[in-house]
Amino acid sequence: MQSGKKKFFKELGRDLVRHKSLYLMLIPVILYYLVFCYYPMYGAQIAFRDYSPKLGSFHSPWAGLKHFKSFFNSVYFSRLIKNTLGINLLNLIFGFPAPIILALMLNEVRCSKFKKTVQTISYLPHFISTVVIGGLILQFTATDGFITNLMTLFGYPKQNLMFNPALFKPIYVISEIWQGIGWGSIIYIASISGISAELYEAARIDGAGRWKQTLYVTIPGIMPTVITMLIMRIGSMMSLGFEKIFLIYNPSIYETADVISTFVYRKGLIDQSYSFSTAVGLFNSVINLVLLAAANKVCKILTDHSLW
């Protein structure tokens, strides 16, 4: 046993010397996760305390599950869960397949100039600031906005769309698809390029056209990537981008627009209920972890592909 440890550390030392440049490049990544991901975890304990900035995390009085019970019994609990899951479910149904479909379509394009143009145009929204995106949404959906004027042609009354609770989710999901479809397709395009050309040649010899090649070669070839991305998406079903919702929502549409992340912001920073907001955030993270593990298990059983 002792000799095995010596052998391990000896080989590790040789590897460190041999690949020192790679290990040096790894140091900033490790530091990032230690400082911004692992170190803040100790602060999660304030979810179980009546936190006071004066007393600090370790000296604030213990409260047990008080804040969790307060959240579960809150009138906002069902609304927050419903909105967070509802928006994420719409994103999963309509937003998740969108980059896959775009990648499959681009794979069939033979004109390289047209293909590059479409890729560039579809990638650009990803690099636009969320603040700018929020401003565009508010401008286009205002009473005199472009989208509002367009909808009036189909009989919709001329009014600010962002004051209609029923329209918030469709507007948000469509903007998410527009902003992320191009960037999200990159990983699938890369996966398609890794499929062996011999498989396509064999399919052509068997008489398969472009559609059947896509159906029986391309889609099965990228399926491991699709499953991996699906598991990761399901694992974040209880999380939703705070920035965009915060920028475009208003009290009149809290009924359908208020989600866990915006609620945590209001309770934690505006109302200064630090313990309560931490309890909500911790609950959110635990549910995400459970969803991730469940999705991984189900995908492993059904498709034989999984993260672990």
Side-chain angles (χ1 to χ4, degrees), residues 148-185:
T148 305
N149 289 329
L150 192 63
M151 290 183 67
T152 55
L153 299 177
F154 299 93
Y156 186 83
K158 194 170 185 179
Q159 61 182 21
N160 194 316
L161 303 183
M162 294 310 297
F163 284 89
N164 187 339
L167 293 178
F168 175 80
K169 289 179 181 177
I171 291 172
Y172 180 85
V173 171
I174 291 171
S175 70
E176 282 287 287
I177 295 173
W178 170 71
Q179 192 174 3
I181 186 172
W183 185 255
S185 68

Side-chain angles (χ1 to χ4, degrees), residues 23 53 99 146 169 201 246 264 276:
Y23 284 105
F146 171 74
K169 289 179 181 177
E201 186 177 349
F246 178 74
V264 168
F276 182 82

Side-chain angles (χ1 to χ4, degrees), residues 106-118:
L106 287 173
N107 185 55
E108 300 302 317
V109 175
R110 292 292 169 260
C111 179
S112 59
K113 289 185 178 179
F114 177 73
K115 184 176 182 178
K116 290 179 180 178
T117 301
V118 172

Side-chain angles (χ1 to χ4, degrees), residues 12-64:
L12 179 61
R14 288 177 181 175
D15 193 62
L16 286 171
V17 173
R18 189 181 303 115
H19 303 106
K20 59 182 179 181
S21 298
L22 293 176
Y23 284 105
L24 285 173
M25 292 173 63
L26 190 62
I27 289 175
V29 179
I30 295 174
L31 289 175
Y32 171 82
Y33 280 98
L34 287 176
V35 174
F36 296 103
C37 297
Y38 287 96
Y39 176 72
M41 284 184 179
Y42 91 96
Q45 65 172 300
I46 69 175
F48 305 94
R49 297 178 181 272
D50 287 324
Y51 177 73
S52 169
K54 182 180 179 180
L55 297 175
S57 301
F58 293 101
H59 298 93
S60 296
W62 187 259

Side-chain angles (χ1 to χ4, degrees), residues 176-210:
E176 282 287 287
I177 295 173
W178 170 71
Q179 192 174 3
I181 186 172
W183 185 255
S185 68
I186 293 176
I187 190 170
Y188 299 110
I189 292 172
S191 183
I192 291 172
S193 65
I195 299 174
S196 174
E198 295 178 357
L199 295 175
Y200 290 104
E201 186 177 349
R204 283 193 295 269
I205 292 173
D206 289 340
R210 298 302 304 176

